[in-house]
C-alpha cells in the first residue's frame, strides 16, 4: 500500500511548496522508491485552461490532454514521471462532479454537504490509482487559514485516520522572516500557522522553514518545542542558486531523512544524487554563454512561459553553456519607427513561443523575417510555427495577404481551423478518429518525420509523440507554395493531414513545431530540439 505525504503551506504564499514536493519526490526516488505527486487546487475554476496567464502562469498540458497547474511541470521535470489528469484536481472540478451526481439523483434524496460528500470526493481523488506506488505526495494549494482550502485540510484529517498510524506524514512549509532592524529571525508566524493547522486536526510531523538567513540551533529547537515536532524535523530551507540545486540542498538539510523517520522507516544507505550533482556542476561551471531572445506576448511574466524557460536552461545544460533569456515584447516591433535589427542583432538565437490572439502577431512575423534573412537560429513553437508559415507565404511565396483566421476573416488562410480549409471528407475522417475540428487539440499526438529531414536527425528517428494545445493548423493547401519558398513540411500527423513540423534546410537552424516540446524537457534529459537549438546558438555566438 502507498504511503501518503500531505504538504501544506503557511504564513504566505509563494514559499516554493511545489519545488519542495518535487525535490522530496526526487530524493525518495533516488532512494529507490516509486513516487507520484498530486496537486489539490482550492479555487473554483474547473481547471486552469481558461485562466489568464497573468493570473495563473502557464497551463501545463499532460499526455492525456489535461490542462493543469504549472506545478505539475515541476513534478514531471524533477521526477521524470509523466503527469496525468488524475494528478490535479480543483474545488471547481469536485463541485462540478458532485452537482452532476446530485442532478442525476445519485444521492437518493440525501442532503449533499461538504462533509462527507466533498471530503469523500477529495479523498477518492487522493487514493485513486496508487497501488503500484511507495509514496504519494499531495500538495494543497494556497495557505492554511484560507476559507477555500478548509475542505481539503478536513479531508487530510480524515484520511490520516483512515490510512492508519504510520502511513501518512504531514509536512508544513512556513516562513521564518528576518527582521533586519532587530537582526533576528522570527519564529512566531510559524508557531501561529502550526497552531491554525493543528486546530483543524492536522498536526504536522515535519516543518520546512523558508528563511533568508541560516536558522541557528536555538531557533530550531524553539520551533520544535512550540510546534510539537522533533528538532530534526525542523528543516531549514534557504534560497538556492538554481532550482536544480534544491534537491541536494534539502538532502543536506536532512529533509528526506526527517520524512522517513516520521514514517518510522530506517533511512538506510545514502541516496544516489549523481544525477543532480552533474546538473548543478553544469549550471555552476558553464563553458560559455548565449543569449536567446523570446519574442512573446506575456513578457515580464516568467511564470507564463515556465516550461519554456526551463527547457532553454536544459538546452544550456546539454551544451554546458549558460543561457541568458531575453524576453522581448513583440509589440515593440509594431511601432512604425521601431528598428527590429536594433533589438534582435545582439541575440544568438530567436524563439517565438505559443500564444493566443492577434496582439503582437505582426511583431513576431517581423522577427521571423529577421531570423531567416540574417541566418539567426529560429525556433517557432505552436503560434511561432504558424507565424513562420505566414512569413514564408508573404515574403517568399508572393502571397501578400497571407494570414491566420484566428485574426479574423482572410482571403489567404495559411493558418486556420481545419473545418475552414479541409474538405468535408477530410474533416469527417479526422472526427471519426476522435479528433474534432475547431476544438482544442490537447495532449499527446504522434507525428511522422521525413527520414531525410533535419528534425529526424535531431530526434534520431522518425516516430515522435509530443503534446499539443492549439485550435488552428497550418493549411496544407499552401504546402507547395511554402515548400517552393524553402519551407519544408518535415513532420506530419500519421494520417498525413496535419503539418506538425516545418524547417528550412538552407538555414543554419530554422524549425517550427505545432506542439510544445518544452513540456517534456527535463534537466537530466534535455529535449533534443532544445539541445540542438542551443547548440546552434553557441555556433552563432562564435561567429559574431
Ligand atoms: N493560437 C494558436 C492556436 O490556437 C496557437 C496556440 C499555441 O501557440 N499554443 O492554434
Amino acid at each position: 500500500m502507498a504511503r501518503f505525504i500531505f504538504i501544506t503551506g503557511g504564513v504566505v504564499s509563494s514559499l516554493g511548496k511545489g519545488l519542495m514536493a518535487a525535490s522530496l519526490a526526487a530524493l525518495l526516488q533516488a532512494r529507490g522508491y516509486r513516487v507520484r505527486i498530486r496537486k489539490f487546487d482550492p479555487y473554483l475554476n474547473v481547471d486552469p485552461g481558461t485562466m489568464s496567464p497573468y493570473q495563473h502562469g502557464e497551463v501545463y498540458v499532460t499526455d492525456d490532454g489535461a490542462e493543469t497547474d504549472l506545478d505539475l511541470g515541476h513534478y514531471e521535470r524533477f521526477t521524470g514521471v509523466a503527469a496525468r489528469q488524475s494528478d490535479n484536481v480543483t474545488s471547481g472540478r469536485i463541485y462540478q462532479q458532485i452537482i452532476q451526481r446530485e442532478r442525476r439523483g445519485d444521492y437518493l434524496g440525501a442532503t449533499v454537504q461538504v462533509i462527507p460528500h466533498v471530503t469523500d470526493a477529495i479523498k477518492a481523488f487522493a487514493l485513486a490509482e496508487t497501488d503500484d506506488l511507495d509514496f504519494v505526495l499531495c500538495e494543497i494549494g494556497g495557505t492554511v487559514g484560507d476559507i477555500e482550502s478548509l475542505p481539503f485540510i478536513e479531508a487530510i484529517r480524515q484520511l490520516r485516520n483512515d490510512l492508519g498510524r504510520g502511513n501518512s506524514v504531514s509536512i508544513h512549509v512556513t516562513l521564518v522572516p528576518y527582521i533586519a532592524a532587530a537582526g533576528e529571525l522570527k519564529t512566531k508566524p510559524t508557531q501561529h500557522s502550526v497552531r491554525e493547522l493543528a486546530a483543524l486536526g492536522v498536526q504536522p510531523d515535519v516543518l520546512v522553514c523558508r528563511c533568508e538567513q541560516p536558522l541557528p540551533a536555538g531557533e530550531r529547537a524553539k520551533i520544535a518545542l512550540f510546534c510539537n515536532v522533533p528538532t530534526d524535523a525542523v528543516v531549514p530551507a534557504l534560497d538556492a542558486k538554481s532550482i536544480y540545486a534544491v534537491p541536494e540542498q534539502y538532502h543536506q538539510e536532512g529533509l528526506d531523512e526527517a520524512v522517513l523517520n516520521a514514517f518510522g522507516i530506517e533511512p538506510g544507505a545514502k541516496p544516489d544524487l549523481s544525477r543532480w550533482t552533474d546538473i548543478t556542476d553544469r549550471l555552476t561551471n558553464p563553458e560559455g554563454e548565449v543569449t536567446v531572445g523570446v519574442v512573446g506576448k506575456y513578457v515580464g511574466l516568467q511564470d507564463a512561459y515556465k516550461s519554456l524557460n526551463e527547457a532553454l536552461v536544459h538546452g544550456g545544460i546539454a551544451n554546458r553553456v549558460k543561457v541568458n533569456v531575453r524576453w522581448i515584447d513583440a509589440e515593440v516591433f509594431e511601432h512604425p519607427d521601431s528598428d527590429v535589427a536594433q533589438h534582435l542583432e545582439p541575440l544568438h538565437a530567436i524563439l517565438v513561443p505559443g500564444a493566443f490572439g492577434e496582439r503582437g502577431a505582426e511583431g513576431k512575423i517581423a522577427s521571423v523575417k529577421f531570423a531567416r534573412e540574417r541566418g539567426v537560429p529560429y525556433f517557432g513553437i505552436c503560434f511561432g510555427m504558424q507565424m513562420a508559415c505566414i512569413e514564408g507565404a508573404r515574403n517568399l511565396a508572393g502571397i501578400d495577404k497571407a494570414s491566420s483566421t484566428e485574426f479574423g476573416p482572410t482571403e489567404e488562410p495559411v493558418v486556420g481551423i481545419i473545418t475552414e480549409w479541409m474538405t468535408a471528407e477530410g474533416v469527417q475522417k479526422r472526427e471519426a478518429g476522435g479528433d474534432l475540428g475547431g476544438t482544442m487539440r490537447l495532449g499527446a499526438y504522434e507525428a511522422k518525420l521525413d527520414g531525410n529531414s533535419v528534425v529526424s536527425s535531431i530526434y534520431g528517428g522518425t516516430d515522435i509523440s509530443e503534446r499539443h494545445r492549439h485550435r488552428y493548423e497550418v493549411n496544407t493547401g499552401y504546402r507547395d507554395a511554402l515548400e517552393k519558398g524553402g519551407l519544408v513540411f518535415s513532420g506530419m500527423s500519421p494520417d498525413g493531414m496535419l503539418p506538425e513540423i516545418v524547417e528550412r534546410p538552407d538555414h543554419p537552424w530554422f524549425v517550427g513545431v505545432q506542439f510544445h516540446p518544452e513540456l517534456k524537457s527535463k534537466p537530466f534529459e534535455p529535449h533534443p530540439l532544445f539541445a540542438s537549438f542551443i547548440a546552434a546558438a553557441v555556433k552563432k555566438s562564435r561567429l559574431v
Side-chain angles (χ1 to χ4, degrees), residues 55-75:
Q55 287 265 323
H56 194 265
E58 164 184 272
V59 172
Y60 189 76
V61 178
T62 60
D63 279 334
D64 59 358
E67 299 182 287
T68 69
D69 186 81
L70 55 75
D71 271 328
L72 273 79
H74 285 311
Y75 304 164

Side-chain angles (χ1 to χ4, degrees), residues 354-356 382-383 386 406 469-472 516:
F356 290 83
C382 206
F383 196 78
Q386 298 172 357
E406 185 170 2
R469 182 172 187 251
H470 59 108
R471 250 184 221 104
Y472 297 82
H516 290 275

